[in-house]
Amino acid sequence: MSVEYKGLGRRKSSIAHVKLVPGTGKIFINKRKPSEYFPNSLVIQDMEQPLVITDTRKSFDVFVKVVGGGFTGQAGAIRLGIARALLAVNQDFRKSLKISKMLTRDSRVKERKKYGLYGARRRPQFTKR
């Protein structure tokens, strides 16, 4: 039985279940490669940041199951999940991950629409007469 480290990440309405297994650096998101899953490479770079910071890019295979939201929210959720899983690998990573704000959950979510308004804050045009 091989060792595996798990991490859960959330961002906006996305939830990512991340599994790190010692390996060669392969990444699979919903059983697909990141280049097939995400539309642009900036999102992939953002997602891989914790592995780059801790210098473990080539030492773990990453398996991700992600649901909900759009691709930026999903990438943020995966990033947090990877960072939390790396803490399970080695607690010494905490300092470098914390400095680069990888362990903080981004709590910003879409504001709800209010009645009488066109969106969350956009009001109808005011007429004086």
Side-chain angles (χ1 to χ4, degrees):
M1 164 113 184
S2 64
V3 179
E4 61 181 42
Y5 305 96
K6 294 182 180 179
L8 177 74
R10 293 189 188 95
R11 168 98 167 75
K12 292 186 175 184
S13 60
S14 303
I15 301 170
H17 296 274
V18 177
K19 216 183 330 183
L20 292 182
V21 180
T24 58
K26 289 180 275 193
I27 298 177
F28 291 100
I29 303 163
N30 293 349
K31 298 180 181 174
R32 287 159 49 193
K33 292 180 182 170
S35 56
E36 296 170 11
Y37 191 80
F38 288 123
N40 62 21
S41 59
L42 286 173
V43 179
I44 296 168
Q45 285 176 352
D46 181 47
M47 176 197 77
E48 291 174 341
Q49 271 184 316
L51 295 168
V52 173
I53 289 166
T54 56
D55 217 20
T56 53
R57 177 75 183 86
K58 298 286 183 204
S59 38
F60 290 103
D61 289 341
V62 182
F63 298 96
V64 182
K65 181 181 171 250
V66 64
V67 290
F71 60 85
T72 44
Q74 286 185 349
I78 293 169
R79 185 173 82 171
L80 180 61
I82 290 172
R84 286 180 174 173
L86 283 169
L87 282 185
V89 173
N90 189 349
Q91 280 292 321
D92 297 338
F93 292 150
R94 178 175 284 280
K95 189 175 182 184
S96 58
L97 288 170
K98 202 165 177 74
I99 288 169
S100 49
K101 297 186 174 121
M102 295 289 138
L103 299 175
T104 308
R105 192 235 197 254
D106 192 346
S107 62
R108 296 175 296 169
V109 291
K110 187 169 182 173
E111 192 175 338
R112 79 173 193 86
K113 183 192 180 303
K114 280 80 168 193
Y115 61 87
L117 304 182
Y118 293 132
R121 298 182 182 200
R122 170 80 170 95
R123 292 194 141 68
Q125 187 173 3
F126 173 76
T127 55
K128 196 165 191 176
R129 279 177 200 87

